[in-house]
Amino acid sequence: MSDSLILEESFAPNGELLFSIRVEKQNDRFSKVTLVNGDKIDSHFYYYTDDKFINNIVTLNKNKDTISHIKYKYVAFDKNGNWTKRLSKNYFNKNDIGKLEVREISY
C-alpha cells in the first residue's frame, strides 16, 4: 500500500501542469519523489538498507524517453546522520566509471 502526498503544483492559465512535486511512500524502506517541470520528469527513488540508502534519479522527457539515470550509494554519515561520502554513477552514460564524492559539514 502506498501513501501519496502532493507537495506543490503550479498550472498555466490554460490548465497545463507547469510544475509538480509528489511524494509516494510505500513502506519504511522505499519512497519515490517525482518532479515534473515543463518537458522533464525527474523521479527520485530512495531505498533504505541497513541504515544506508540508495538514491536512483531517472529523468524522462514527456515522451517517456530516458534522459539520464544516476545512482547514488551513501557509504558514510556524520554524527547527525548527514552523508559525508557517497558513490555515484550515471548508468545512462556508458563511459561513466563512477566517482566517490566526499563532503565536510561544519556545524
Side-chain angles (χ1 to χ4, degrees):
M1 179 172 192
S2 92
D3 296 324
S4 184
L5 172 67
I6 297 173
L7 297 180
E8 181 179 348
E9 287 188 325
S10 178
F11 294 90
N14 67 0
E16 180 183 347
L17 179 65
L18 297 175
F19 182 83
S20 118
I21 301 173
R22 178 183 297 270
V23 177
E24 295 175 53
K25 184 174 181 182
Q26 298 201 346
N27 55 43
D28 290 338
R29 294 221 168 275
F30 170 77
S31 61
K32 175 183 174 185
V33 178
T34 303
L35 294 89
V36 177
N37 188 1
D39 289 337
K40 279 184 25 179
I41 302 168
D42 290 329
S43 295
H44 298 248
F45 301 89
Y46 297 93
Y47 300 91
Y48 301 85
T49 58
D50 299 325
D51 296 329
K52 299 175 187 168
F53 63 93
I54 296 171
N55 177 12
N56 283 290
I57 302 172
V58 179
T59 304
L60 305 173
N61 63 21
K62 285 202 173 177
N63 294 328
K64 306 290 185 194
D65 298 321
T66 301
I67 297 171
S68 70
H69 178 181
I70 301 171
K71 184 175 181 179
Y72 298 99
K73 181 174 183 181
Y74 298 83
V75 294
F77 298 87
D78 68 10
K79 63 183 180 198
N80 293 322
N82 296 304
W83 72 267
T84 55
K85 291 182 184 177
R86 74 178 177 185
L87 301 169
S88 67
K89 183 171 181 175
N90 186 341
Y91 286 88
F92 192 71
N93 178 355
K94 292 181 176 34
N95 296 321
D96 187 354
I97 59 171
K99 67 180 176 180
L100 175 65
E101 298 174 68
V102 179
R103 73 177 182 172
E104 186 175 315
I105 302 171
S106 300
Y107 295 98

